[in-house]
Amino acid sequence: QNGVMSGLMQMLLLKVSAHITEQLGMAPGGEFREAFKEASKVPFCKFHLGDRPIPVTFKRAIAALSFWQKVKLAWGLCFLSDPISKDDVEKCKQKDLLEQMMAEMIGEFPDLHRTIVSERDIYLTYMLKQAAKQIELPRASETEPRKYIPAVVVGVVGMGHVPGIEKNWNSDLNIQEIMSVPPPSASSRIFKFVVKATVFGLMGYGCYRIGQRTVQFILSMPAAQSYLQKLTEIRSQ
């Protein structure tokens, strides 16, 4: 539905999520599930999913990587087996350690960090600022002066996005650019064509081999041989 590379990336990230769940005994994203439960208890509370759509993020991330970077990233995700303890999770709550981990990630995949973290920092900041706008009270008539009350907003985000949101809060933000999906590169189109050609070629060859073996099996049956012999006699007469 979202493309071959995007689908493969989602499968690999699901594998990472399963690895974390297995190691810690709890699934990632628990803070968002708890936020939803608590929001449902508050009267007249509006719950909004404020992150950028996953297909946009994945497609922009994939487009930002070169072919070999994609291979390197996929290889690393496939063989992810480092143990994770709850102490490691507690250490990650410290901002300095978190920023150190981010710096290591930037060094290896700077374009990936830009699309998955930095751009989403901008998007999350924009959505939070939209939600935090003052609310206009209804007026009895057009001549009545406008009155506003402050909005009460609780934003629940991953801790890795907090520094970026703080950095972007007082900036004029435009999310149009980070919502566009760049067209696939020539190498991506060639790779996609090669994958499709390989898959259909293997399927065609498999069908041919199965058909060939099926015909040979049928012809080797006594009933078929008898029928063919009778057919040959009729044609000779």
Side-chain angles (χ1 to χ4, degrees), residues 123-154:
Y123 189 92
L124 290 166
T125 307
Y126 178 85
M127 298 303 287
L128 283 169
K129 290 180 74 172
Q130 292 297 310
K133 285 183 176 179
Q134 289 188 326
I135 302 170
E136 182 180 355
L137 294 175
R139 294 182 293 168
S141 64
E142 291 294 329
T143 58
E144 184 179 347
R146 297 177 185 271
K147 294 181 180 179
Y148 299 89
I149 59 172
V152 179
V153 181
V154 177

Side-chain angles (χ1 to χ4, degrees), residues 150-163:
V152 179
V153 181
V154 177
V156 181
V157 298
M159 192 161 189
H161 292 289
V162 174

Side-chain angles (χ1 to χ4, degrees), residues 5 24 27 46 58 75 82 87 158 184 191 195 200 205 208:
M5 292 302 299
L24 299 179
K46 294 181 180 179
F58 274 172
W75 181 269
D82 294 337
D87 291 336
F191 177 73
V195 170
F200 286 116
Y205 180 73
Y208 166 74

Side-chain angles (χ1 to χ4, degrees), residues 73-214:
L73 179 64
W75 181 269
L77 292 176
C78 281
F79 296 95
L80 181 71
S81 59
D82 294 337
I84 305 170
S85 67
K86 292 186 178 181
D87 291 336
D88 294 331
V89 177
E90 292 301 319
K91 289 178 183 177
C92 286
K93 293 180 182 179
Q94 302 172 21
K95 186 178 291 188
D96 56 347
L97 179 63
L98 192 67
E99 291 176 353
Q100 179 184 344
M101 292 171 63
M102 288 295 181
E104 292 175 0
M105 183 180 175
I106 291 171
E108 194 166 2
F109 298 105
D111 294 325
L112 191 65
H113 179 272
R114 174 176 54 81
T115 53
I116 292 182
V117 180
S118 300
E119 289 183 0
R120 286 174 58 223
D121 288 345
I122 295 172
Y123 189 92
L124 290 166
T125 307
Y126 178 85
M127 298 303 287
L128 283 169
K129 290 180 74 172
Q130 292 297 310
K133 285 183 176 179
Q134 289 188 326
I135 302 170
E136 182 180 355
L137 294 175
R139 294 182 293 168
S141 64
E142 291 294 329
T143 58
E144 184 179 347
R146 297 177 185 271
K147 294 181 180 179
Y148 299 89
I149 59 172
V152 179
V153 181
V154 177
V156 181
V157 298
M159 192 161 189
H161 292 289
V162 174
I165 292 173
E166 292 175 348
K167 176 185 174 183
N168 293 309
W169 188 259
N170 294 318
S171 304
D172 293 329
L173 304 173
N174 183 5
I175 62 170
Q176 295 302 320
E177 182 182 350
I178 61 173
M179 287 300 292
S180 63
V181 178
S185 62
S187 60
S188 297
R189 292 196 296 269
I190 293 171
F191 177 73
K192 187 176 180 180
F193 174 77
V194 169
V195 170
K196 283 187 175 181
T198 302
V199 170
F200 286 116
L202 290 173
M203 288 175 61
Y205 180 73
C207 291
Y208 166 74
R209 293 292 296 173
I210 291 172
Q212 187 182 42
R213 288 177 179 272
T214 302

